[in-house]
């Protein structure tokens, strides 16, 4: 077992039964001209998570963890995009509309790809999801159970949207989850802080919160 300093208490995990889940580190969210920017957000607020994500990814690969990269996006014909999701954005800025990096949040378009720094390598799972949570209408639970995964290290963007939704879904399914604080980011720093506080409050109502440094130290420690 490994033990990472965390809130509300140390997060204990066995590397063979732990997956690193990196949520939606896609060009559409992180680069100017994508979906995040189209929603009126300052995308530079998300770039602070890239370095910690990369360090965490390197440590997880070295420790032999299962690595899962998720991407939020839809089929080109939008058949898997709920109209209620699409129509909330103004015309011209909706999912499927043309943008500088291709059609916004459409699979196969440049903006849908994971940023080069965090590009998946062979053997890692790339999970396309139509919703905010990574368990919604995907085979993630099956993939995790097939590998005997019991614990998740969760990083990515945005803290209060896709990271929190996924962590809550995982917690309800019985996975022990740690959000990696500095490897997550939000367009709203106050929401980032509040989302993390909500996870570890009440004795860890949803799970644990650890820094990337503490998690990497645990990953690199002797069993
Ligand atoms: N991945 C994810 O969080 N999707 C979003 O749309 N997030 C926003 O904060 N908009």
């Amino acid at each position: 077992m490994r033990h990472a300093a965390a809130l509300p208490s140390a997060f204990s995990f066995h590397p063979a039964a732990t997956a690193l889940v990196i949520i939606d580190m896609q060009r559409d969210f992180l680069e100017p001209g994508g979906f995040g920017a189209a929603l009126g957000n300052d995308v530079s607020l998300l770039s602070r998570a890239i370095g910690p994500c990369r360090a965490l990814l390197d440590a997880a690969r070295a420790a032999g963890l299962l690595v899962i990269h998720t991407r939020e996006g839809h089929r080109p014909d939008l058949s898997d995009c709920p109209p209620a999701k699409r129509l909330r954005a103004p015309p011209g800025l909706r999912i499927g509309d043309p943008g500088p990096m291709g059609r916004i949040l459409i699979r196969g378009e440049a903006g849908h790809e994971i940023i080069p720094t965090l590009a998946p390598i062979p053997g890692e799972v790339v999970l396309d999801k139509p919703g905010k949570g990574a368990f919604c209408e995907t085979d993630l639970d099956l993939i995790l159970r097939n590998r005997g995964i019991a614990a998740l290290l969760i990083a990515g963007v945005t803290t209060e949207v896709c990271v929190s939704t996924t962590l809550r879904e995982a917690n309800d399914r019985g996975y022990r989850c740690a959000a990696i604080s500095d490897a997550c980011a939000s367009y709203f720093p106050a929401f980032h802080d509040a989302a993390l506080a909500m996870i570890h409050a009440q004795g860890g109502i949803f799970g644990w919160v650890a820094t990337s440094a503490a998690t990497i130290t645990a990953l690199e420690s002797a069993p």
Side-chain angles (χ1 to χ4, degrees), residues 142-158:
L142 181 60
I143 291 169
L144 297 175
R145 283 189 283 115
N146 283 343
R147 287 283 294 255
I149 299 297
L152 305 179
L153 307 174
I154 305 182
V157 298
T158 61

Side-chain angles (χ1 to χ4, degrees), residues 45-46 48-49 52-53 154-159 163 179-186 192 196:
L45 289 164
L46 300 196
R48 59 186 64 171
C53 264
I154 305 182
V157 298
T158 61
T159 319
V163 170
I180 312 306
S181 52
D182 54 321
C184 298
S186 169
H192 170 83
L196 294 176

Side-chain angles (χ1 to χ4, degrees), residues 139-222:
D139 51 9
L140 178 57
D141 192 47
L142 181 60
I143 291 169
L144 297 175
R145 283 189 283 115
N146 283 343
R147 287 283 294 255
I149 299 297
L152 305 179
L153 307 174
I154 305 182
V157 298
T158 61
T159 319
E160 79 280 13
V161 181
C162 293
V163 170
S164 288
T165 304
T166 298
L167 188 143
R168 291 175 181 207
E169 289 179 326
N171 175 61
D172 275 349
R173 285 164 175 77
Y175 298 98
R176 300 169 60 259
C177 300
I180 312 306
S181 52
D182 54 321
C184 298
S186 169
Y187 301 119
F188 305 90
F191 290 175
H192 170 83
D193 293 343
L196 294 176
M198 286 180 207
I199 292 167
H200 68 74
Q202 303 184 63
I205 192 75
F206 294 119
W208 288 258
V209 176
T211 63
S212 61
T215 307
I216 291 165
T217 298
L219 284 168
E220 292 176 345
S221 68

Side-chain angles (χ1 to χ4, degrees), residues 90-111:
L93 295 176
R94 291 176 174 159
I95 293 168
D97 289 346
M101 289 191 286
R103 294 177 66 204
I104 294 169
L105 282 190
I106 297 298
R107 294 174 190 165
E109 301 287 345

